[in-house]
Amino acid sequence: PDAPSISSNSNTTKNLKLVHFVRHGQGFHNLMADIYRTIAHKTWTPNIPSTDNPYTMIEVTDAPLTEIGRQQAQAHQETAKTMDPQPQLIVLSPNCRALHTGCIVFKHLLYDNNNDTTKVPFLAHEMVREQHGVHVCDQRRSKTQQQTEFPHVDFSLIESNEDTLWSPIHRETMLQVAHRCYSFLEWLCNRP
């Protein structure tokens, strides 16, 4: 949210934005990897599509939260309610687990007096996704499917119905992630 303007010694005024980052709760893909490690006693080659990599199993495509993940998100509700100032915008990754987490954590900002509008905008943004590619858990479902399940989230910034960022053969590098995050911060900086 926008914080009050602060005057410096040189009498210039700066508009500050206070940003809170929230990591998604345990996803089904995290659970599958834990099971794979403990029960199957196997390791896998990271970032490589193979039958040994639980993150490339079709069953974990755009992995939702587990019950533990929902509980983890609920554990942050009280902190979110006591933020001062309260958020003026909730920006969410368009991946299922992040949408669920954000909507649970900021549940108190979802609806105002039982009408269909949220108290603050909930906005899906492709640039806040985690590293993607190869791991199908990071491939988002279609925009249409996400809009149906999360009707209170604004998906207008998601340009394509299908996930055009995700690649089955190329894992995004950390440098590419950094460029994407920088693009998001520029967008946020230019937002009123």
Side-chain angles (χ1 to χ4, degrees):
D2 290 339
S5 295
I6 298 174
S7 296
S8 67
N9 291 341
S10 64
N11 240 0
T12 59
T13 302
K14 294 183 180 182
N15 185 15
L16 301 178
K17 290 184 168 89
L18 177 62
V19 180
H20 300 275
F21 293 92
V22 178
R23 175 87 168 128
H24 67 76
Q26 182 192 52
F28 182 66
H29 65 301
N30 302 127
L31 175 63
M32 292 303 295
D34 289 346
I35 291 170
Y36 206 77
R37 271 189 220 96
T38 57
I39 295 176
H41 301 288
K42 290 187 177 183
T43 58
W44 59 89
T45 305
N47 306 334
I48 303 292
S50 73
T51 56
D52 290 338
N53 187 341
Y55 292 137
T56 62
M57 296 171 16
I58 194 71
E59 294 84 2
V60 299
T61 302
D62 196 4
L65 290 179
T66 63
E67 178 57 30
I68 290 172
R70 289 189 289 279
Q71 291 171 8
Q72 290 168 333
Q74 288 168 353
H76 291 287
Q77 286 177 336
E78 199 54 42
T79 300
K81 286 180 189 175
T82 60
M83 287 178 172
D84 186 25
Q86 279 289 291
Q88 295 174 357
L89 172 69
I90 308 297
V91 180
L92 306 160
S93 160
N95 285 88
C96 186
R97 59 191 172 270
L99 291 164
H100 277 143
T101 299
C103 292
I104 292 170
V105 170
F106 295 102
K107 183 179 177 181
H108 70 286
L109 296 175
L110 274 177
Y111 294 107
D112 192 14
N113 299 326
N114 295 325
N115 68 29
D116 289 341
T117 59
T118 58
K119 292 180 183 180
V120 301
F122 280 65
L123 180 66
H125 199 299
E126 293 273 31
M127 296 298 109
V128 296
R129 291 171 63 172
E130 61 185 279
Q131 184 183 24
H132 53 74
V134 179
H135 297 171
V136 295
C137 58
D138 300 328
Q139 179 182 14
R140 75 164 165 83
R141 296 181 297 171
S142 71
K143 176 180 174 178
T144 306
Q145 191 173 359
Q146 300 297 56
Q147 286 174 310
T148 300
E149 189 167 342
F150 301 96
H152 47 278
V153 175
D154 178 355
F155 287 87
S156 62
L157 292 179
I158 308 298
E159 294 178 6
S160 62
N161 191 46
E162 298 305 320
D163 187 352
T164 57
L165 295 180
W166 185 83
S167 165
I169 58 171
H170 171 74
R171 185 90 173 137
E172 190 179 30
T173 67
M174 286 296 119
L175 183 59
Q176 290 169 321
V177 172
H179 284 295
R180 187 165 47 80
C181 292
Y182 189 81
S183 295
F184 167 72
L185 291 174
E186 285 182 316
W187 172 85
L188 185 62
C189 219
N190 292 323
R191 195 176 187 282

